[in-house]
Amino acid sequence: MKTLVPAVAVWGKTAPSHSITAVMITDDQQTIITGSQEGQICLWDLSSDLQISSKEILFGHTASVTCLAKARE
């Protein structure tokens, strides 16, 4: 069975100053993770009414984050 997921913009009227190069959403569909060209990983809360708010930003990569994957349990 396919589940339809609506498209969601991770910013409002103005795009962020960093370049998003990778996007992943968690299985529970409550967190969006983005990787950026500047080497940052951002975590965003996603509410049931599709409101997005920033949660955390992780620094430390010295190159672009072009791929995201979840770890196995």
Side-chain angles (χ1 to χ4, degrees):
M1 181 171 109
K2 291 186 178 181
T3 304
L4 296 177
V5 178
V8 177
V10 295
W11 55 83
K13 295 179 182 179
T14 306
S17 59
H18 62 276
S19 303
I20 295 174
T21 52
V23 178
M24 186 176 80
I25 189 165
T26 56
D27 290 337
D28 63 6
Q29 298 182 349
Q30 293 182 359
T31 304
I32 296 174
I33 301 100
T34 59
S36 74
Q37 186 173 356
E38 292 77 19
Q40 303 157 350
I41 296 176
C42 300
L43 282 71
W44 309 82
D45 282 326
L46 178 61
S47 69
S48 59
D49 60 346
L50 301 180
Q51 295 297 312
I52 298 171
S53 58
S54 59
K55 186 175 181 178
E56 289 183 62
I57 187 165
L58 309 171
F59 298 92
H61 290 86
T62 57
S64 297
V65 177
T66 58
C67 182
L68 296 165
K70 68 176 188 169
R72 294 183 184 192
E73 294 181 13

